[in-house]
């Protein structure tokens, strides 16, 4: 993040979610607010430019991870969870189409990004529901726990966390400290997140795709910092106390969400989806 400026990667993610609603059939992820929150000027250009295979794979992964997160949330709600925390919410729209009115949604993000989102919500005539709590956090001065406390989060009650599109931009130490904090707040908490695998674990085509992504995010002032080997990450999570871990690689994501398509939409192998649950 560049201080005082909303995240550029957050906008690009939102553009890909919106493009999925307009381009791909069938949809992997239904989001009726994805286009509205961007605004007509940006939305009008979503289908104007020709796209390459890297763009298609990025879009596929971003909609797959949103669907996976909301599926895992649904499972958590069925277990009695009544608090949902969206870390690095960006322009995520779940809180504004929340089908669980008894579940409080806490959106955590940098103040500049959250202020920009509020402007986009107003411009798109998207009302803020009573179940939503904004928790702006300056991560140089506050912790996630402090931000949540200020928004009325009940740390003594279990919660489910989503953390999408964030861990690659953080150091492994910061990622691990946040994962420990989630479980330390309540032993029954759970979290879903995505992560990037080391470049050395990819083939030549995938390394080239990752290099292209790294160049883009670095140019935007938001470089990747964290990469994780799946086996090592699982060991760390178990050592923290997470009792159940599901880790989906690209092949499993494609089997689950992109099987039998005729348009060739698939994800690559540069990133994983993971859900970790406490006791």
């Amino acid at each position: 993040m560049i201080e005082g400026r909303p995240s550029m990667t957050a906008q690009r993610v939102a553009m890909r979610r919106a493009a999925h609603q307009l381009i791909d059939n069938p949809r992997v992820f239904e989001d009726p607010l994805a286009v509205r929150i961007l605004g007509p000027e940006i939305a009008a250009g979503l289908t104007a430019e020709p796209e390459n295979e890297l763009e298609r794979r990025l879009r596929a992964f971003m909609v797959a991870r949103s669907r996976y997160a909301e599926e895992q949330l649904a499972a958590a709600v069925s277990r009695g969870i009544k608090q949902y925390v969206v870390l690095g919410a960006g322009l995520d729209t779940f809180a504004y189409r929340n089908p669980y009115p008894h579940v409080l949604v806490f959106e955590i993000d940098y103040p500049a990004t959250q202020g920009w989102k509020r402007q986009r919500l107003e411009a798109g005539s998207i009302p803020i529901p009573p179940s939503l709590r904004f928790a702006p956090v300056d991560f140089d001065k506050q912790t996630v726990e402090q931000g949540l406390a200020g928004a009325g989060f009940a740390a003594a009650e279990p919660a489910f966390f989503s953390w999408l599109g964030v861990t690659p931009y953080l150091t492994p130490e910061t990622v691990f400290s946040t994962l420990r904090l989630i479980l330390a707040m309540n032993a029954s908490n759970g979290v879903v997140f995505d992560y990037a695998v080391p470049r050395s674990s990819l083939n030549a085509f995938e390394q080239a795709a990752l290099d292209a992504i790294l160049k883009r995010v670095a140019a935007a002032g938001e470089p990747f910092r964290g990469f994780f080997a799946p086996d090592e990450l699982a060991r760390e999570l178990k050592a923290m106390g997470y009792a159940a871990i599901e880790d989906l690689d690209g092949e499993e994501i494609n089997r689950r969400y992109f099987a039998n398509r005729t348009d060739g939409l698939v994800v690559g192998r540069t990133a994983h989806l993971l859900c970790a649950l406490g006791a």
Side-chain angles (χ1 to χ4, degrees), residues 14 17-19 21 29-39 43 46 91-98 117 120-121 124-129:
R17 282 197 301 259
Q21 310 304 307
F29 178 63
E30 296 283 349
D31 185 348
L33 300 178
V35 175
R36 279 175 60 188
I37 198 169
L38 280 175
L46 292 176
L91 293 182
D92 184 88
T93 67
F94 173 81
Y96 314 92
R97 48 184 175 78
N98 178 8
K117 182 174 189 173
R120 297 307 325 141
L121 292 168
S125 299
I126 300 172
I128 296 174

Side-chain angles (χ1 to χ4, degrees), residues 12 30 36 40 61 74 90 103 105 138 157 164 168 182 236 240 274:
R12 285 195 293 272
E30 296 283 349
R36 279 175 60 188
F61 182 73
V103 174
V105 181
D138 182 339
E157 299 296 324
L164 305 181
I182 288 171
E236 289 283 352
M240 292 176 196
L274 189 148

